[in-house]
Amino acid sequence: SAVGRGPEVPFCSEAYSISAASRGKELRLTLAPLGAGSPLFLVFRFGMSGSFRLCGAAELPRHAHLRFLTRDSPPRALCFVDARRFGSWRLGDGWQPGRGPCVLSEYRAFRENVLKNLDDKAFDKPICEALLNQKFFNGIGNYLRAEILYRLKIPPFEKARTVLEALKEREQARKKNSSLTLSKKLKLKRENPDLLELCHTVPMEVIAAEKKLFEPDHLDNYAAFKSWLQCYLVPGMSSLRDHNGRTVWFQGEPGPMAPKGQTSRKKRAQPKAEAEVLTPRVTTRASQQHPRAAAKPLKLAEEEEAGDRPRKGRPGRRRKVATAPASSEPEAPLRDRRSPRLAARRGRGEAGAR
């Protein structure tokens, strides 16, 4: 599309097939001509909102930045859709350098890569931040780190090396315990998974659920995804900004390496009556300021970017918001929080409604 940020795709064929392979947070497409010609490879990163959709060519979704047309009658289009444009694609078949083994498809290599490199400075950081380092945890994003740490009751701001060295010692002790049979060792392992095992099995739960957890445009599927979540964006859970400015969700104490000057905030369930009052006004203001945003369905409105790209220039401003402690008082309607100047512009006498 004209507004797409990715490079042009120099490929032309009367008939070709598309196949895909994934590794961590990347997906590689192979465009293979059915006749003469060489295949072309594209490697995608999805950012926060990137996805593929198959639809009628006459009914392209908004933000369809790359389109592959079929020869059906009427034709259909396989589209790479990315409303926020954090996603990208590049030409070539190579995975991005510096990314470690995939937590899903290369679990043994992933595990070995972590445990053999615990002296790396990446593990001087809190475990919640280390989990987003794609050099070691290729495929783990913001919601996954929250779910993994929650299940193990690990404070997010515990030092990563402390957590993983204890895991390494536990693994060595388990190997030395020759009194247990193999079946008992496997049973013990299933009943007491460690952090690296959950880095594999928790994403696998999402994969196994297939479309029930995908396609957030469909409210039933989004509801299924929300019901699967145990910690991320769940009412009653606490949240803090990590040192990179991303929100981490957790339960209990944050840990000794939590950023200074922040107060942990708990997510509260919005009362139904309050939601009905506020939603129309929020929608109206959003449509006036950002017409495109207002046209989108509500996805993960409070979600941080799930990708691993740095957030430049924004963490400080967002962190400032996070320092305010959560109030037990009901949130005031948006109308009452407008500045007098804005209220005066909206209509005579509205400023005096305070």
Side-chain angles (χ1 to χ4, degrees):
S1 71
V3 297
R5 295 179 178 175
E8 292 289 337
V9 180
F11 181 80
C12 184
S13 177
E14 289 296 321
Y16 62 97
S17 66
I18 300 180
S19 58
S22 64
R23 183 177 186 268
K25 286 193 174 186
E26 296 182 295
L27 180 136
R28 180 173 62 208
L29 292 190
T30 301
L31 312 182
L34 300 185
S38 301
L40 184 138
F41 303 94
L42 298 171
V43 176
F44 288 79
R45 288 175 59 191
F46 291 86
M48 180 177 174
S49 60
S51 65
F52 278 98
R53 300 184 198 176
L54 184 63
C55 57
E59 302 173 349
L60 293 176
R62 298 184 66 181
H63 309 288
H65 299 304
L66 195 60
R67 308 143 188 179
F68 303 91
L69 301 178
T70 73
R71 299 179 69 180
D72 299 332
S73 182
R76 293 184 296 167
L78 177 66
C79 304
F80 176 65
V81 181
D82 185 16
R84 301 194 179 192
R85 286 192 264 182
F86 291 148
S88 63
W89 68 86
R90 65 180 184 277
L91 303 175
D93 61 349
W95 305 112
Q96 186 179 32
R99 289 180 177 262
C102 176
V103 297
L104 288 174
S105 60
E106 303 167 295
Y107 171 67
R108 291 297 171 190
F110 150 69
R111 187 180 184 93
E112 183 178 353
N113 184 45
V114 172
L115 295 180
K116 284 190 173 181
N117 291 285
L118 291 183
D119 58 343
D120 192 285
K121 64 181 181 180
F123 300 107
D124 293 333
K125 297 182 178 182
I127 186 62
C128 66
E129 295 176 17
L131 282 171
L132 296 187
N133 187 329
Q134 302 300 293
K135 178 181 177 181
F136 297 104
F137 295 91
N138 187 12
I140 301 299
N142 204 11
Y143 84 90
L144 287 171
R145 70 169 174 178
E147 297 301 310
I148 291 165
L149 295 175
Y150 170 78
R151 295 190 188 192
L152 294 173
K153 307 304 178 188
I154 296 175
F157 292 96
E158 183 63 68
K159 190 173 184 178
R161 187 176 292 107
T162 301
V163 174
L164 294 167
E165 282 182 344
L167 182 158
K168 188 175 183 179
E169 292 171 2
R170 172 184 162 188
E171 182 177 78
Q172 292 172 346
R174 189 163 52 190
K175 287 181 179 179
K176 291 179 180 179
N177 192 348
S178 57
S179 62
L180 296 177
T181 63
L182 179 60
S183 60
K184 288 184 177 180
K185 287 182 179 179
L186 292 175
K187 181 181 179 181
L188 185 64
K189 191 174 182 180
R190 285 194 300 269
E191 293 174 349
N192 300 280
D194 61 41
L195 183 139
L196 298 182
E197 288 166 347
L198 287 188
C199 286
H200 173 74
T201 58
V202 172
M204 284 299 296
E205 290 178 16
V206 182
I207 301 249
E210 296 181 336
K211 293 185 70 173
K212 290 182 180 180
L213 301 186
F214 299 152
E215 298 183 13
D217 285 352
H218 297 78
L219 297 181
D220 291 342
N221 292 332
Y222 182 54
F225 176 70
K226 288 188 70 175
S227 67
W228 175 84
L229 294 170
Q230 298 179 35
C231 179
Y232 184 76
L233 292 177
V234 172
M237 296 297 158
S238 301
S239 66
L240 284 173
R241 302 280 183 181
D242 65 19
H243 296 91
N244 297 316
R246 298 191 179 108
T247 301
V248 57
W249 296 84
F250 61 95
Q251 185 180 54
E253 294 298 319
M257 300 183 72
K260 305 299 181 183
Q262 289 194 52
T263 301
S264 175
R265 304 181 66 184
K266 284 197 174 184
K267 180 174 176 60
R268 295 177 294 147
Q270 189 179 40
K272 184 176 181 181
E274 184 185 31
E276 292 175 350
V277 171
L278 293 182
T279 300
R281 189 170 296 279
V282 171
T283 304
T284 300
R285 296 185 70 189
S287 62
Q288 291 173 351
Q289 297 175 11
H290 303 284
R292 292 186 180 180
K296 299 176 195 172
L298 177 63
K299 295 185 180 180
L300 297 181
E302 298 175 71
E303 181 182 24
E304 291 301 308
E305 180 186 348
D308 52 323
R309 59 185 286 179
R311 299 164 61 87
K312 297 182 179 179
R314 307 193 74 176
R317 178 170 60 84
R318 293 192 174 189
R319 190 176 295 119
K320 182 178 179 181
V321 174
T323 58
S327 172
S328 59
E329 296 296 325
E331 186 177 4
L334 290 178
R335 180 185 61 189
D336 294 339
R337 295 202 301 271
R338 291 176 185 161
S339 68
R341 181 179 300 176
L342 177 58
R345 287 203 302 266
R346 298 282 176 154
R348 182 177 300 173
E350 189 173 341
R354 302 174 72 85

